[in-house]
Amino acid sequence: MARAATTSDAFNAIAEPRRREILDLLAGRERAVQDLVAELGLAQPLVSKHLRVLREVGLVEVREQGRQRLYRMNGRPLKPVHDWVRRYEQLWSERFELLDAVLAEMEED
């Protein structure tokens, strides 16, 4: 079975844990590759590879400032991921409510 390309959409791109770490860092503020390398403790080529994938699906934008390339997160491509996960929120809310009811009954006994 052929593996899906990691650059096809946000779902595939964020399936890789290091890319999620990069997005977590970029969600706070824009950073240069060197900053990401230092914070993640990864080799620069690996960070650049992940940034390329994130850029291809639109999750990361880049701007040049002098010799530096500064990356920042673009959360818009995560909307389909959010919408998909949100469908399961209702399921978990119902289960937690049932659990709360059971715990309340146990306390009464």
Side-chain angles (χ1 to χ4, degrees), residues 18-67:
R18 290 294 187 182
R19 292 186 200 133
R20 292 194 303 270
E21 288 182 64
I22 290 171
L23 289 177
D24 288 344
L25 290 172
L26 294 177
R29 63 177 171 89
E30 68 180 8
R31 295 168 198 259
V33 173
Q34 299 88 339
D35 297 335
L36 295 170
V37 166
E39 293 191 50
L40 295 169
L42 298 174
Q44 189 273 328
L46 186 58
V47 171
S48 293
K49 178 182 165 190
H50 287 311
L51 284 170
R52 181 182 52 79
V53 171
L54 293 170
R55 221 175 64 211
E56 286 178 3
V57 299
L59 283 167
V60 167
E61 297 172 339
V62 62
R63 73 178 178 92
E64 293 189 19
Q65 182 177 16
R67 290 183 175 187

